Amino acid sequence: QVQLVESGGGLVQAGGSLRLSCAASRLTFSSYRMGWFRQAPGKEREFVATISWSGGSTYYVDSVKGRFTISRDNAKNTVYLQMNSLKPEDTAVYYCAASVYNGVGVRSDEYNYWGQGTEVTVSS
């Protein structure tokens, strides 16, 4: 079955950086839009960023624009989220997801497969 495995989370001070990775297996990776979502304690899961199958189109939630960058390497079946200038409010479990649909990619119900998540904690 399809697997999405996130890595790269951890504890970082405010202003620091982390790079999340999501390795996909058992799917035709280059045919899927990929997205990152996050869920903070006591809050609903929210959209963070998405990237088209080719990598040519990206979209971000306003709160991370200019700080986060989503990218993908189709040869490695991996999608990345580079997070800079981290803030305490970025603290959450981050999930990657894969979508076969040709949509915008900001809604969680557009995604077919999900990873287990990686925890990011930003201290003040």
Side-chain angles (χ1 to χ4, degrees):
Q1 71 221 42
V2 172
Q3 280 193 320
L4 300 176
V5 180
E6 301 96 335
S7 61
L11 174 64
V12 64
Q13 288 190 330
S17 297
L18 283 174
R19 188 194 197 202
L20 306 184
S21 299
C22 172
S25 59
R26 302 188 184 95
L27 81 169
T28 307
F29 183 74
S30 59
S31 297
Y32 284 78
R33 167 179 293 278
M34 299 299 294
W36 286 96
F37 289 74
R38 66 186 179 186
Q39 188 166 17
K43 295 188 176 182
E44 293 187 353
R45 189 173 299 186
E46 68 166 350
F47 165 78
V48 176
T50 185
I51 188 167
S52 61
W53 64 271
S54 67
S57 175
T58 59
Y59 187 76
Y60 302 88
V61 67
D62 285 348
S63 59
V64 309
K65 284 180 182 176
R67 299 189 299 122
F68 290 11
T69 302
I70 188 171
S71 62
R72 66 189 297 160
D73 185 338
N74 286 347
K76 295 183 178 180
N77 286 5
T78 301
V79 62
Y80 306 96
L81 187 67
Q82 177 67 43
M83 306 188 295
N84 299 329
S85 303
L86 282 161
K87 304 176 181 180
E89 51 263 44
D90 295 318
T91 294
V93 177
Y94 283 72
Y95 300 89
C96 75
S99 171
V100 72
Y101 301 114
N102 187 26
V104 177
V106 301
R107 299 195 331 264
S108 59
D109 63 2
E110 295 181 74
Y111 290 82
N112 308 90
Y113 303 106
W114 292 83
Q116 293 300 305
T118 185
E119 189 166 359
V120 172
T121 303
V122 184
S123 64
S124 58

